[in-house]
Amino acid sequence: MAKKLFIVPKAKPLAKLRLFCFSYAGGSPATYMSWANHIHADVELVLVQLPGRGERIREAAYTSMDDIIRELLTQQDYITSKPYVLFGHSLGARVAWELALNIAESGGKLPLHLIASGSGA
């Protein structure tokens, strides 16, 4: 697992499901950090941290969706290693959608759900 790309506030090795959360443009993993205190015991919260955000603030932010998806796909085995859900808000919804499409195109295991908020169809 890429430690910089993903933040797991409370590791749950026996979790039955992972919830990957993608922030809005300008947002950071801190947006979802409090969810760790309220999420079901069988769910492991995984916060996506892209360059230019959070602990990666000193890294140049990506300027294209292709660059974002390329980095995420380097961790496809981790993402799909157990049942998972993708949640994104605004730009994060679009990133989650593109990730799911790319995983589908590669024949990978799809998320159980893709939850998009704050973004048009």
Side-chain angles (χ1 to χ4, degrees):
M1 175 177 72
K3 292 183 180 176
K4 286 186 174 182
L5 179 58
F6 300 126
I7 295 173
V8 179
K10 292 184 179 181
K12 298 180 183 179
L14 301 178
K16 295 178 182 172
L17 177 100
R18 286 194 181 113
L19 172 60
F20 290 87
C21 294
F22 298 81
S23 296
Y24 52 89
S28 75
T31 303
Y32 305 110
M33 194 65 74
S34 67
W35 290 20
N37 298 322
H38 306 286
I39 203 159
H40 192 276
D42 287 338
V43 178
E44 184 173 59
L45 184 65
V46 181
L47 311 177
V48 179
Q49 179 172 242
L50 297 173
R53 307 287 182 260
E55 294 174 11
R56 298 180 73 182
I57 194 71
R58 288 189 171 95
E59 296 177 44
Y62 289 133
T63 58
S64 77
M65 183 67 75
D66 289 341
D67 291 338
I68 295 170
I69 299 306
R70 192 174 302 112
E71 180 175 0
L72 288 164
L73 288 175
T74 67
Q75 299 303 313
Q76 182 173 339
D77 289 345
Y78 170 72
I79 293 167
T80 63
S81 64
K82 27 175 93 173
Y84 68 103
V85 171
L86 301 177
F87 170 82
H89 180 70
S90 193
L91 177 64
R94 293 171 186 265
V95 173
W97 171 255
E98 288 292 331
L99 176 61
L101 284 177
N102 277 267
I103 289 173
E105 289 172 357
S106 72
K109 185 178 174 185
L110 292 175
L112 296 176
H113 300 281
L114 189 150
I115 304 165
S117 71
S119 181

